[in-house]
Amino acid sequence: KTKPGTATAVRTSDWAVTREVALPSVNMNNPHNMWTDRSQSVIYATQWFDNKLTVFDRKTGGLLRNVTVGEAPAHVMTRVDTDQVHVSINGEGSMVELSPFATQIDRTIQVQDSGDPGQPHAHWMSHDGHTMVTPNSNTNDSTVVHVAPGTIEPKVATGTLPIASGMMPDGSKYYVSNFLSSTISVIDLTTPHPTLIKNIDLLANYNPISGAVSGGFGGLPI
């Protein structure tokens, strides 16, 4: 193995490590995020320091395929309605949609109409597979994608270096963690266009000058 990084299988009944997926053929370059298919027969793993999505057998760890998807693929999720695979291309400005089991690339979905590439990182999918949201780490905003047509809403400004997102189960709103501003953006999805509700300051109870703490706080959210 010439690249750093493996995928670890853990047995949750006793938290024992049961497998390290790496050798002899799965030479993943900094695997960053994983997901599974509807039947839980394969694992998708992104190679963040490369341009590939790795697909391997969940039970055996055997390599099925490496698919070239674009520069710095970060996160991967599936559509619940079609089992297609979505990969965020963190080094570019798009999401890539692949067929089930990632046998081929079906299309590329841009996260901005024009301007600087958004460099999306940890996206999230709605419960019905109809909506995708992305944190765009290069442009300090977030995109809402209508998945079937591949259209996007006007982007919503967030904090600095938004890096991950998570959606409510009913799809009413979603959250974006802003790594460098130490805030969480809350965005409403029930309005005609996505609307910022508020930014939660995770350092509000911490004084960086005196070091005084008045309550719970946190920084650099991922």
Side-chain angles (χ1 to χ4, degrees):
K1 181 171 169 55
T2 62
K3 304 295 184 182
T6 65
T8 304
V10 178
R11 185 173 57 227
T12 55
S13 60
D14 59 2
W15 304 111
V17 173
T18 60
R19 178 177 295 112
E20 290 286 350
V21 178
L23 295 172
S25 58
V26 187
N27 190 29
M28 290 181 289
N29 185 357
N30 283 267
H32 183 71
N33 183 248
M34 294 184 291
W35 201 258
T36 188
D37 67 299
R38 183 178 293 161
S39 64
Q40 300 187 13
S41 61
V42 304
I43 298 293
Y44 305 109
T46 57
Q47 296 189 41
W48 193 23
F49 286 13
D50 213 300
N51 61 6
K52 296 178 178 63
L53 175 73
T54 296
V55 188
F56 61 87
D57 186 280
R58 183 179 69 86
K59 292 184 177 180
T60 67
L63 176 67
L64 298 177
R65 65 189 60 86
N66 277 313
V67 184
T68 299
V69 291
E71 295 303 320
H75 279 238
V76 54
M77 289 186 79
T78 53
R79 287 178 59 174
V80 299
D81 52 345
T82 65
D83 213 28
Q84 289 173 290
V85 186
H86 284 133
V87 180
S88 61
I89 310 303
N90 193 202
E92 301 181 24
S94 61
M95 304 292 304
V96 168
E97 185 177 74
L98 301 99
S99 58
F101 304 109
T103 55
Q104 65 180 24
I105 293 177
D106 292 338
R107 60 175 171 164
T108 297
I109 303 173
Q110 300 297 326
V111 300
Q112 66 280 310
D113 289 324
S114 61
D116 294 335
Q119 297 185 349
H121 195 84
H123 62 295
W124 200 262
M125 304 291 297
S126 64
H127 65 94
D128 54 10
H130 296 171
T131 305
M132 177 201 305
V133 296
T134 69
N136 304 320
S137 60
N138 188 50
T139 50
N140 298 327
D141 50 33
S142 177
T143 302
V144 175
V145 179
H146 301 292
V147 178
T151 57
I152 64 176
E153 293 283 349
K155 295 198 293 182
V156 180
T158 60
T160 306
L161 210 160
I163 198 168
S165 56
M167 192 182 299
M168 291 287 287
D170 63 358
S172 60
K173 60 184 174 182
Y174 71 100
Y175 304 87
V176 177
S177 60
N178 304 305
F179 184 62
L180 292 184
S181 60
S182 294
T183 58
I184 302 290
S185 297
V186 187
I187 299 171
D188 189 355
L189 289 174
T190 64
T191 52
H193 296 292
T195 304
L196 179 69
I197 299 173
K198 60 181 175 180
N199 282 314
I200 302 171
D201 184 0
L202 301 180
L203 295 177
N205 296 322
Y206 172 70
N207 187 318
I209 305 301
S210 66
V213 175
S214 58
F217 71 95
L220 304 177
I222 298 176

